[in-house]
Amino acid sequence: MEANPKWQETGRQQKVKQLDYSKTLAVRIDNVELYNSEKKLYYLVIQTLLGNPQKNEWHIQGQSQILKESNQKIIVS
């Protein structure tokens, strides 16, 4: 997703899968819930992250994809 102040992470996410290539390099796939204040809708997006699992440092790779939209919270934590 492009950086946009109308889109905010809710802090709710689910780790789908993590593939470790080494102790310091891994790819992780997460489902993340975003909220769009302009449309007043929640979105579930899938994000691919690349990072260092030992330091818990992750960076988004590529573009995120919207899986679902709803007027209520999607991920219940």
Side-chain angles (χ1 to χ4, degrees), residues 12-24:
R12 292 182 289 273
Q13 64 184 44
Q14 299 169 325
K15 181 174 159 183
V16 176
K17 188 170 188 163
Q18 181 172 319
L19 178 61
D20 293 339
Y21 292 107
S22 69
K23 290 182 181 180
T24 58

Side-chain angles (χ1 to χ4, degrees), residues 8-66:
Q8 298 175 332
E9 285 193 32
T10 64
R12 292 182 289 273
Q13 64 184 44
Q14 299 169 325
K15 181 174 159 183
V16 176
K17 188 170 188 163
Q18 181 172 319
L19 178 61
D20 293 339
Y21 292 107
S22 69
K23 290 182 181 180
T24 58
L25 179 63
V27 172
R28 191 171 94 191
I29 299 172
D30 287 354
N31 286 337
V32 178
E33 186 183 81
L34 301 176
Y35 180 72
N36 184 315
S37 59
E38 185 177 84
K39 295 183 179 183
K40 297 186 180 0
L41 289 173
Y42 290 91
Y43 293 87
L44 182 65
V45 298
I46 189 164
Q47 292 181 337
T48 303
L49 304 124
L50 181 65
N52 183 336
Q54 282 188 335
K55 294 183 178 180
N56 201 24
E57 293 175 349
W58 301 96
H59 305 283
I60 295 175
Q61 287 297 114
Q63 293 190 349
S64 302
Q65 290 182 290
I66 296 173

